[in-house]
Amino acid sequence: MKKRYLLKWIIITTVLVLISNLLQFVVSNRVGGDKLPVTSQPIHDNNNSYNIFTDYSSRIQSTYRLLLELENDKYSKPNDAFLLSQGFLIGNSTDYYSNLEVLIQGLDSTDYNHELHNIVETNKNLQTMIYKLNRYFFTQRNNAKLPENWEEIKELLAKISTQLTSESTKDVSLYNITSYPKEFVTKSKYTTAISTLNKDIFKVIDLIDN
């Protein structure tokens, strides 16, 4: 019953994310237009920029939900955690988000271009962590329980999840920073927020790799 529920959850999640990605792909094509390839077309329109940022930040929300699920004891078995993370990866198109990263880094916003790079790199680091988690679960999938360091990893993941999103649009969360970079890169807490999140992400990666 538990495996059937997990498989159903993965299928539903995959279908919903694929539909979302398809809709977002249409939006990004409209943004890219027919005149120039996405790597060379400058984007000046504020509405188009807003669409790109909000499309890109959507993966943060799904990552947040994944981390919440991993906190649940029902995913304490390695194979269950592996299937859950595998469903997440299947449902999120790497190519789609890579294309959005090209668009973001090509934006004509010289006043905070360096911060756009930092924001994109932080999002990429977060997804690298998820890939490594998936591999971690895969290597342990035939075991009855996860290694001893899982509890430490789990605590860090819970800490990271609180930094990804919040109920307030004023909080300096990764979702808000990525969705509205121009408004958040000037906030006093921005630098600390990005730095702290990256440190926690790399702590998890180090624990997995070791």
Side-chain angles (χ1 to χ4, degrees):
M1 180 66 71
K2 185 177 179 180
K3 292 241 175 121
R4 186 181 303 170
Y5 168 79
L6 184 59
L7 182 61
K8 183 178 179 181
W9 187 91
I10 291 172
I11 292 172
I12 292 173
T13 300
T14 302
V15 170
L16 289 175
V17 173
L18 287 175
I19 292 172
S20 174
N21 285 348
L22 179 61
L23 292 173
Q24 292 166 354
F25 178 74
V26 172
V27 172
S28 67
N29 274 351
R30 188 169 21 183
V31 171
D34 299 323
K35 297 178 182 178
L36 294 171
V38 294
T39 53
S40 61
Q41 182 171 352
I43 300 172
H44 304 279
D45 185 83
N46 288 334
N47 288 331
N48 286 342
S49 299
Y50 171 78
N51 286 337
I52 294 170
F53 290 128
T54 53
D55 287 350
Y56 187 58
S57 64
S58 64
R59 185 169 55 174
I60 299 171
Q61 292 180 313
S62 56
T63 303
Y64 169 76
R65 288 192 291 269
L66 171 66
L67 296 186
L68 284 186
E69 289 289 340
L70 287 174
E71 289 181 35
N72 197 313
D73 288 339
K74 67 183 178 182
Y75 297 112
S76 60
K77 291 184 178 180
N79 192 53
D80 292 342
F82 166 69
L83 291 173
L84 179 69
S85 60
Q86 187 70 9
F88 170 86
L89 294 178
I90 292 172
N92 284 273
S93 168
T94 303
D95 289 342
Y96 172 72
Y97 288 100
S98 295
N99 288 336
L100 287 178
E101 287 165 359
V102 171
L103 287 171
I104 290 172
Q105 294 182 320
L107 288 173
D108 185 20
S109 51
T110 53
D111 53 337
Y112 61 105
N113 269 350
H114 178 67
E115 296 310 328
L116 287 182
H117 173 77
N118 287 339
I119 291 167
V120 167
E121 285 303 307
T122 301
N123 276 275
K124 289 168 74 172
N125 291 339
L126 179 64
Q127 296 311 311
T128 297
M129 183 193 77
I130 299 300
Y131 279 108
K132 286 184 174 289
L133 269 175
N134 175 255
R135 184 65 186 174
Y136 172 80
F137 296 139
F138 175 78
T139 59
Q140 301 292 328
R141 70 191 186 284
N142 293 323
N143 296 334
K145 60 181 182 179
L146 289 162
E148 291 182 3
N149 69 350
W150 169 242
E151 287 304 317
E152 188 176 355
I153 292 172
K154 190 176 177 181
E155 287 180 11
L156 281 168
L157 294 179
K159 184 180 176 184
I160 288 170
S161 69
T162 64
Q163 300 171 66
L164 298 186
T165 186
S166 71
E167 294 181 358
S168 173
T169 57
K170 295 181 180 180
D171 290 339
V172 189
S173 64
L174 183 62
Y175 177 80
N176 287 341
I177 291 170
T178 306
S179 298
Y180 317 102
K182 191 171 184 179
E183 289 79 0
F184 277 87
V185 296
T186 57
K187 291 184 178 292
S188 59
K189 295 182 179 179
Y190 162 75
T191 303
T192 302
I194 288 291
S195 175
T196 301
L197 177 55
N198 277 299
K199 284 179 182 178
D200 289 337
I201 288 170
F202 284 116
K203 283 179 183 178
V204 172
I205 291 174
D206 287 342
L207 285 169
I208 293 171
D209 287 344
N210 294 328

